[in-house]
Amino acid sequence: MEFYGTEVSSRLMLGTAQYPSPAILDDAFRRSGAGIATVSVRREAGGAQAGAAFWDLIKELGVKVLPNTAGCHSVREAVTTAHMARELFDTPWIKLEVIGHTDTLQPDPFALVEAAKILTEDGFQVFPYTTEDLILADRLLNAGCEVLMPWGAPIGSGLGLTNIYGLRTLRAQFPDIPMVVDAGLGLPSQAAVALEMGYDAVLLNTAVAKAGDPAAMAEGFALAIKAGRLAYEADPMEPRDMAAPSTPLIGKAFLS
């Protein structure tokens, strides 16, 4: 699997916030085999090096870093944060979040497209946190994005895939675009469904960090993602309205 021409080692992407301790975060990443860690730029302070210890911990994980613009509510704020991220982490990758609704943390579609266009023109490789809206997806691709990250449900809710129809339609409409289900997953089974639908990866944080045993939950998600991808590649049977016998009737004994 590739994003912007860069191979990644796993279809699981993990956030780095809310873990009980650095040791538990480290254990969760290692048991999950996650290939990408998302990091909020607000954890770092370039001048004071306030986040140096945290950054050292992330580097020791040996994974690709995807900084994000979490908490940004305007185009200007998101673009400024992205430039900070590029300087701090020395990467053109940026997970672009421009929040439009405080309660649901739903992205602002208009500001998201505007910010994405500004950043891609400036050499960033943008991973937009978006909804499953087809028109918005098309606008983001036209703005220069080569990856889409539709939500499964509101961030941190654990509700899973609340709009299966919308996610299936989005996947079918843009079959060649790498897509990551981002946010709202609470259980490994929900991640398996996303991969079974043909999504390339999932990104999650709260479901692992807030579990009673984060490392075990991280491993559970990794196994579910592997199962879901295998099922997708195996070309599963279509659902039927009626029963169909699995044992053939030919050769069956009949009593007179």
Side-chain angles (χ1 to χ4, degrees):
M1 184 178 61
E2 293 185 355
F3 294 124
Y4 289 102
T6 298
E7 285 191 16
V8 292
S9 60
S10 170
R11 296 180 184 275
L12 175 59
M13 305 160 69
L14 279 182
T16 54
Q18 306 183 71
Y19 288 84
S21 72
I24 292 175
L25 184 154
D26 181 84
D27 194 21
F29 265 85
R30 298 194 188 283
R31 286 182 62 176
S32 73
I36 294 176
T38 59
V39 180
S40 172
V41 177
R42 294 168 187 267
R43 287 181 172 272
E44 293 286 337
Q49 292 296 307
F54 177 77
W55 179 218
D56 287 341
L57 172 63
I58 299 303
K59 287 189 288 188
E60 289 174 2
L61 296 175
V63 299
K64 183 77 174 175
V65 174
L66 175 61
N68 68 48
T69 63
C72 293
H73 288 76
S74 69
V75 172
R76 181 177 180 180
E77 187 180 14
V79 170
T80 299
T81 303
H83 281 90
M84 290 171 57
R86 183 162 64 180
E87 181 178 343
L88 286 166
F89 300 107
D90 191 27
T91 176
W93 281 15
I94 190 72
K95 179 190 169 187
L96 179 61
E97 296 182 26
V98 187
I99 301 303
H101 191 266
T102 303
D103 292 334
T104 64
L105 301 181
Q106 180 171 326
D108 179 334
F110 309 102
L112 183 65
V113 172
E114 183 181 348
K117 188 173 189 300
I118 292 170
L119 291 173
T120 55
E121 288 178 350
D122 195 27
F124 284 88
Q125 295 172 341
V126 178
F127 294 66
Y129 164 63
T130 180
T131 66
E132 66 278 15
D133 185 270
L134 295 177
I135 308 305
L136 176 53
D138 190 55
R139 296 289 190 274
L140 288 168
L141 295 174
N142 288 336
C145 298
E146 297 180 16
V147 179
L148 295 174
M149 302 183 75
W151 66 348
I155 294 171
S157 68
L159 292 172
L161 307 178
T162 57
N163 186 358
I164 294 287
Y165 169 78
L167 289 170
R168 287 189 187 279
T169 304
L170 180 65
R171 178 69 281 182
Q173 186 70 27
F174 304 101
D176 300 322
I177 300 300
M179 289 192 193
V180 182
V181 171
D182 175 19
L185 298 183
L187 293 169
S189 57
Q190 298 160 356
V193 172
L195 272 291
E196 289 169 2
M197 289 194 297
Y199 279 83
D200 298 283
V202 299
L203 192 161
L204 53 113
N205 189 161
T206 309
V208 169
K210 290 298 186 181
D213 186 340
M217 184 63 79
E219 184 176 352
F221 269 100
L223 294 171
I225 288 167
K226 182 177 181 180
R229 183 65 186 185
L230 285 172
Y232 171 74
E233 292 176 344
D235 190 16
M237 64 173 282
E238 292 292 330
R240 299 167 174 163
D241 292 328
M242 301 292 290
S246 56
T247 302
L249 296 177
I250 298 175
K252 178 181 178 181
F254 289 91
L255 299 177
S256 60

